[in-house]
Amino acid sequence: MKFPVDETTLNGWTSLLGLTQEQTAATLRHIEKTLRLGYTHRPAALRHLTFDEITAGMNIDELALMFLTTGLRVAGHHEAALAIEIRGLHTQLQNTRPSD
């Protein structure tokens, strides 16, 4: 799969998290596996699209968040990854609240 990020950005993320090249590869494999699982369970309206067609429009911010949380787990920082996911969900829920 082609991720929406260049090598310089990927190397920066890797350096920021202190990951080895093997850990980076494992992180990217896990992200692709997760996306393929989602693809398997895609809605009927998207059944005509291939995996590459669906993931081609992936936002770099979405990938950054997935890389951050997965990379933290691969590096052994499970609590930090969970805290980031919880904050992300909280923000998402706040953004879906009706306006007064």
Side-chain angles (χ1 to χ4, degrees), residues 24-73:
T24 300
T27 298
L28 293 174
R29 281 193 307 272
H30 184 271
I31 291 169
E32 182 173 357
K33 182 179 174 183
T34 300
L35 293 172
R36 287 193 182 276
L37 179 63
Y39 174 76
T40 302
H41 300 288
R42 69 194 180 281
L46 300 176
R47 293 277 177 200
H48 66 286
L49 297 173
T50 66
F51 177 77
D52 289 335
E53 289 171 329
I54 289 177
T55 58
M58 184 177 192
N59 184 303
I60 192 169
D61 293 337
E62 294 169 330
L63 177 60
L65 184 58
M66 290 180 82
F67 190 90
L68 176 60
T69 57
T70 304
L72 284 169
R73 281 195 176 86

